Amino acid sequence: AQSVTQPDIHITVSEGASLELRCNYSYGATPYLFWYVQSPGQGLQLLLKYFSGDTLVQGIKGFEAEFKRSQSSFNLRKPSVHWSDAAEYFCAVGARSSASKIIFGSGTRLSIRP
Amino acid sequence: DSGVTQTPKHLITATGQRVTLRCSPRSGDLSVYWYQQSLDQGLQFLIQYYNGEERAKGNILERFSAQQFPDLHSELNLSSLELGDSALYFCASSIQSGGTDTQYFGPGTRLTVL
């Protein structure tokens, strides 16, 4: 069965610092992987996704993620965070067969220190 | 703005009552998904409809039901409400139903059961 682990519940970084949010998954085949962001009072917005090909994926808002099959990881990175990046971030793993078979991690809340 | 709309934004009701949540998908999207987000359970997939037909079921209680109408809007009906049903309910939509389809989320309906 699919599963996703986001080991960090809450992370605080200084504005302008680099960011890495961890995500580990469990899936029997090559997974579809996603990162979503949820700002307070908002729905989830897709940051980026990985289906196949280049393992370094570029997303919106300056985010990128790297798929590492050997480590079953799909960590999200940003070289320099902005105060507006404060939000909840969700990693998700999906199945090729159906968009409904998507499992979300428990989320990492990102706070930005001025 | 994802293009997915949900009404109402907030709903406060009492135990034992029944409520209906409404979702309008993005123009052209055939699939609608319902999710429940709570502090203890995280983001859980409830049910998916595709072009008016139920396509997939997740962790949806028997007290809950949904439908998708010919104009593709969807309603989630929650009955015999319990305190534990208090949560944020999201609707998402996608063009088709495959694993590569991006789900676009609405802003959610916050349900409070007193």
Side-chain angles (χ1 to χ4, degrees):
Chain A
Q2 302 156 247
S3 68
V4 181
T5 302
Q6 292 181 250
D8 303 306
I9 297 173
H10 184 205
I11 283 183
T12 300
V13 300
S14 298
E15 190 167 17
S18 63
L19 170 71
E20 182 167 25
L21 301 183
R22 296 183 291 164
C23 172
N24 292 98
Y25 68 89
S26 173
Y27 188 64
T30 300
Y32 287 174
L33 295 161
F34 308 82
W35 274 100
Y36 281 85
V37 61
Q38 183 181 20
S39 298
Q42 303 293 318
L44 279 72
Q45 181 185 23
L46 182 69
L47 285 176
L48 47 80
K49 57 190 176 186
Y50 171 79
F51 294 150
S52 64
D54 193 345
T55 56
L56 186 60
V57 181
Q58 300 298 321
I60 62 171
K61 305 185 182 190
F63 285 93
E64 66 178 27
E66 187 171 11
F67 170 56
K68 291 187 178 180
R69 184 189 302 274
S70 61
Q71 298 176 21
S72 298
S73 69
F74 189 56
N75 294 349
L76 183 71
R77 301 194 294 247
K78 186 169 185 178
S80 175
V81 297
H82 185 261
W83 64 266
S84 61
D85 293 324
E88 186 100 20
Y89 291 80
F90 293 90
C91 180
V93 59
R96 293 175 184 272
S97 57
S98 170
S100 66
K101 295 186 187 303
I102 184 169
I103 303 296
F104 287 86
S106 53
T108 296
R109 185 159 63 93
L110 175 64
S111 298
I112 306 296
R113 194 183 299 120
Chain B
D1 184 356
S2 66
V4 178
T5 60
Q6 289 187 248
T7 56
K9 197 162 185 168
H10 301 278
L11 202 46
I12 301 175
T13 188
T15 54
Q17 295 298 304
R18 173 189 169 94
V19 296
T20 297
L21 313 184
R22 183 189 168 102
C23 168
S24 293
R26 291 187 324 151
S27 177
D29 283 1
L30 297 178
S31 274
V32 169
Y33 311 78
W34 285 99
Y35 291 88
Q36 180 193 59
Q37 186 180 38
S38 61
L39 284 175
D40 54 343
Q41 297 286 329
L43 195 62
Q44 301 271 320
F45 166 68
L46 295 178
I47 196 164
Q48 177 202 359
Y49 276 79
Y50 175 77
N51 204 21
E53 301 286 328
E54 182 184 303
R55 178 60 66 97
K57 254 184 174 175
N59 300 321
I60 188 165
L61 299 172
E62 284 192 16
R63 300 183 285 109
F64 297 180
S65 64
Q67 53 185 326
Q68 186 179 28
F69 295 86
D71 67 351
L72 300 178
H73 91 271
S74 178
E75 292 181 356
L76 179 67
N77 300 295
L78 314 176
S79 61
S80 303
L81 285 168
E82 302 175 359
L83 296 178
D85 298 327
S86 295
L88 200 49
Y89 291 85
F90 286 110
C91 163
S93 72
S94 67
I95 295 175
Q96 295 285 335
S97 182
T100 57
D101 284 341
T102 297
Q103 294 186 40
Y104 294 88
F105 282 76
T109 293
R110 181 168 295 281
L111 173 66
T112 302
V113 182
L114 301 175

